[in-house]
């Protein structure tokens, strides 16, 4: 086989065989296929697409390009949850310990944030000492001992995806459904879970801006997961405004803890319950949503879900007391209120802009090598549909810069649209695909 011929074949719109796709992935991972040829290939895929058989073959080849965590020796169903990313999206922080408190096995591989979206690893590192650099053996042992573990993507897990994503990022070939789906699912399959729940975001703060694109991505990933023998479901949820009220790593951790205490914002609580209920029904622990809801209520009210979070934090190097006393977590030196400049209803929030504002404060990365400030961010006081008076606070800004970040404040205000009429409410959950 020659890479030249396979590039031409895909350029001409023809389907590649499993063997041809594996040749490409293996060759690129080993360095036998140069970047310029792989760039040509991904551009051909971008314009010509891949069918479902090709996409599954690409996903499996990338998943198998490195270590595959074997969790088969651990009794029970191994669960994983993944979000396509957004602003204020910290649901995994609450859902994973909540599900684990029922005895379900939660083994998860997570990434760091880049741009306007946050990363689960960065948020958890708000706990001093918390680490996700865990060997495969330690990961499995921790899952066996406490039923929950989270690992960052290492060089040994799906290395083909890591290398290919870096190339796509600089060659304008990121936003293709097959390439996105295979990238996400290769990591999920490599992490060894039996049951995968996907949270696919849609709206101005999501990677996929329209419901149609989000649904296409969700269906593609569910088809890949089920085709690989893993029970896979996807829920399409709203990201046209930030989720919850907290934006910023330490602030979001505190809100996630509040959810396990039963006192988080309504939209965030609704989503945490929805995902936990799906896990309980998919594993036959509950037969109806009402039964599942009652089970979740009991775990939160008893404190067992919060205790499991503390146990998880301790196992990965953090201080479990910080879970019960989150005032010990990093705090910004300064706060300021961002005030509304007119009366009216909040009609729209340009969600990605709010995420960029948090990044500019130091709470996110413009480049992969940027260092995160865990303390900075925003607490929103007004969201879509809320009425606000001139001079009333839209949000509290938490910052550490010696000079007041006036440019960030101005950008934040521009992200809010204030209008005379109350806007029509958007659903939080659009559709569940299984």
């Amino acid at each position: 086989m020659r890479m030249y011929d396979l590039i031409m074949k895909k350029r001409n719109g023809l389907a590649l065989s499993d063997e041809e796709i594996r040749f490409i992935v293996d060759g690129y991972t080993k360095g036998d296929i140069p970047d310029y040829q792989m760039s040509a290939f991904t551009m051909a895929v971008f314009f010509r697409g891949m069918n479902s058989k090709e996409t599954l073959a690409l996903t499996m080849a990338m998943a198998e390009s490195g270590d595959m965590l074997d969790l088969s020796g651990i009794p029970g169903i191994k669960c994983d949850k993944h979000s396509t990313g957004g602003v204020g999206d910290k649901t995994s922080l609450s859902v994973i310990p909540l599900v684990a408190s029922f005895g379900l096995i939660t083994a998860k591989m997570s990434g760091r944030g880049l741009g306007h979206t946050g990363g689960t690893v960065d948020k958890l590192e708000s706990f001093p000492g918390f680490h996700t650099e865990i060997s495969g053996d330690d990961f499995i042992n921790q899952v066996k001992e406490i039923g929950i573990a989270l690992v960052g993507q290492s060089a040994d897990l799906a290395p083909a995806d890591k290398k290919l994503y870096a190339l796509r990022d600089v060659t304008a070939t990121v936003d293709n459904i097959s390439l996105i789906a295979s990238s996400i699912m290769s990591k999920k399959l490599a992490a060894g879970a039996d049951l995968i729940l996907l949270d696919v975001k849609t709206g101005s703060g999501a990677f996929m801006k329209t419901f149609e694109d989000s649904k296409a991505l969700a269906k593609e990933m569910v088809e890949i997961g089920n085709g690989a023998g893993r029970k896979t479901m996807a829920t399409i949820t709203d990201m046209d405004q930030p989720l919850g009220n907290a934006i910023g790593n330490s602030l979001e951790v505190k809100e996630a803890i509040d959810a396990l205490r039963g006192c988080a914002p309504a939209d965030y609580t609704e989503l945490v319950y929805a995902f936990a209920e799906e896990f309980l029904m998919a594993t036959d622990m509950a037969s109806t949503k009402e039964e599942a809801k009652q089970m979740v209520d009991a775990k939160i009210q008893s404190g067992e879900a919060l205790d499991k979070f503390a146990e998880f934090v301790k196992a990965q190097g953090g201080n479990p007391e910080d879970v019960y006393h989150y005032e010990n977590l990093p705090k910004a030196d300064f706060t300021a209120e961002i005030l509304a400049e007119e009366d009216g209803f909040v009609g729209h929030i340009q969600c990605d802009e709010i995420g960029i504002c948090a990044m500019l404060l130091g709470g996110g990365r413009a480049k992969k090598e940027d260092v995160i400030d865990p303390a900075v961010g925003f607490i929103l006081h007004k969201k879509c549909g809320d009425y606000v008076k001139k001079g009333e606070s839209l949000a509290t800004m938490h910052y550490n810069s010696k000079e007041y970040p006036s440019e960030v404040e101005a950008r934040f205000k521009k992200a809010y649209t204030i209008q005379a009429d109350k806007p029509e409410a958007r659903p939080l959950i659009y559709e569940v695909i299984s």
Side-chain angles (χ1 to χ4, degrees):
M1 265 183 258
R2 290 195 313 160
M3 186 61 178
Y4 177 91
D5 298 326
L6 301 182
I7 294 170
M8 181 179 290
K9 186 174 181 180
K10 179 48 63 180
R11 186 201 69 182
N12 293 338
L14 302 176
L16 300 176
S17 69
D18 291 5
E19 293 74 23
E20 288 170 332
I21 289 172
R22 190 165 292 274
F23 171 83
I24 293 169
V25 172
D26 289 348
Y28 184 59
T29 305
K30 294 173 184 174
D32 296 336
I33 293 173
D35 280 348
Y36 60 83
Q37 283 192 311
M38 199 63 177
S39 298
F41 174 72
T42 56
M43 190 62 75
V45 171
F46 183 87
F47 285 112
R48 289 296 195 170
M50 281 184 153
N51 62 35
S52 58
K53 188 173 182 294
E54 289 177 290
T55 306
L56 176 58
L58 176 63
T59 306
M60 295 306 300
M62 291 199 297
E64 294 168 359
S65 64
D67 293 342
M68 295 279 285
L69 290 178
D70 183 6
L71 306 180
S72 60
I74 302 172
I77 299 172
K78 277 68 73 177
C79 304
D80 192 5
K81 177 195 166 291
H82 175 81
S83 169
T84 56
V87 180
D89 178 22
K90 73 288 289 183
T91 49
S92 293
L93 299 181
S94 301
V95 172
I96 288 179
L98 176 55
V99 169
S101 71
F102 287 97
L104 294 176
I105 305 300
T106 50
K108 178 171 172 58
M109 181 163 64
S110 289
R112 297 185 180 276
L114 187 64
H116 76 273
T117 61
T120 300
V121 170
D122 297 318
K123 292 166 189 175
L124 284 167
E125 287 179 350
S126 298
F127 292 101
F130 191 99
H131 62 89
T132 57
E133 294 77 26
I134 306 173
S135 70
D137 288 343
D138 289 342
F139 181 82
I140 290 170
N141 289 335
Q142 183 175 318
V143 171
K144 285 180 178 178
E145 288 172 11
I146 67 170
I148 179 173
L150 184 143
V151 65
Q153 186 180 1
S154 72
D156 298 326
L157 284 171
D161 170 65
K162 198 169 186 179
K163 189 175 181 181
L164 182 57
Y165 187 88
L167 183 74
R168 289 166 54 216
D169 195 35
V170 295
T171 56
T173 53
V174 169
D175 48 342
N176 169 274
I177 293 290
S178 291
L179 296 177
I180 296 168
S182 60
S183 174
I184 292 171
M185 293 304 294
S186 65
K187 295 187 284 286
K188 297 295 101 183
L189 298 178
D194 305 310
L195 172 61
I196 301 169
L197 177 58
L198 303 164
D199 178 9
V200 181
K201 301 294 186 185
T202 189
S204 63
F207 190 71
M208 313 304 282
K209 306 298 183 186
T210 69
F211 171 75
E212 291 75 19
D213 285 345
S214 299
K215 185 172 181 178
L217 176 60
K219 292 178 72 174
E220 189 84 54
M221 291 193 293
V222 167
E223 191 169 335
I224 290 170
N226 290 329
R230 316 292 178 88
K231 187 173 183 178
T232 307
M233 303 174 294
T235 302
I236 303 173
T237 66
D238 185 59
M239 189 43 70
D240 210 43
Q241 65 173 334
L243 180 62
N245 297 336
I247 302 155
N249 297 285
S250 179
L251 298 173
E252 291 187 42
V253 167
K254 294 173 184 178
E255 191 164 87
I257 291 171
D258 280 342
L260 298 179
R261 290 172 169 167
C263 57
D267 60 339
Y268 180 61
T269 298
E270 181 183 343
L271 217 51
V272 168
Y273 267 70
F275 292 138
E277 289 163 10
E278 284 190 42
F279 274 121
L280 292 176
M281 290 188 292
T283 54
D284 296 325
M285 294 190 72
S287 55
T288 66
K289 286 186 72 69
E290 183 55 37
E291 182 186 2
K293 181 182 183 303
Q294 291 173 2
M295 293 169 67
V296 173
D297 280 336
K299 286 293 182 184
I300 290 175
Q301 290 167 11
S302 70
E304 291 178 68
L306 190 64
D307 290 343
K308 180 57 71 173
F309 192 18
E311 187 179 19
F312 165 52
V313 168
K314 180 181 179 181
Q316 298 201 204
N319 184 350
E321 287 303 309
D322 291 345
V323 173
Y324 302 107
H325 301 281
Y326 63 39
E327 63 274 11
N328 296 332
L329 294 176
K331 292 184 288 291
D333 292 334
F334 309 103
T335 62
E337 301 304 315
I338 299 180
L339 307 179
E341 296 180 345
E342 58 184 312
D343 296 348
F345 290 96
V346 178
H348 178 64
I349 301 173
Q350 188 62 31
C351 190
D352 53 355
E353 280 293 301
I354 301 296
I356 290 170
C357 286
M359 180 190 74
L360 293 173
L361 291 177
R365 295 182 183 83
K367 305 184 296 296
K368 289 181 180 180
E369 60 270 20
D370 289 348
V371 177
I372 290 281
D373 182 345
V376 301
F378 301 92
I379 297 293
L380 306 185
H381 305 306
K382 298 293 181 180
K383 295 181 68 174
C384 292
D386 292 338
Y387 189 80
V388 60
K389 294 182 179 180
K390 181 179 179 179
E392 197 174 359
S393 179
L394 295 172
T396 302
M397 178 169 60
H398 296 245
Y399 65 100
N400 278 326
S401 55
K402 293 180 180 178
E403 294 185 6
Y404 183 74
S406 55
E407 291 183 4
V408 174
E409 179 189 20
R411 188 163 186 164
F412 185 97
K413 286 182 178 180
K414 286 182 180 178
Y416 268 70
T417 299
I418 309 297
Q419 61 190 47
D421 300 325
K422 187 171 183 176
E424 184 177 337
R426 288 170 62 101
L428 182 62
I429 299 173
Y430 285 88
E431 190 172 339
V432 177
I433 297 170
S434 60

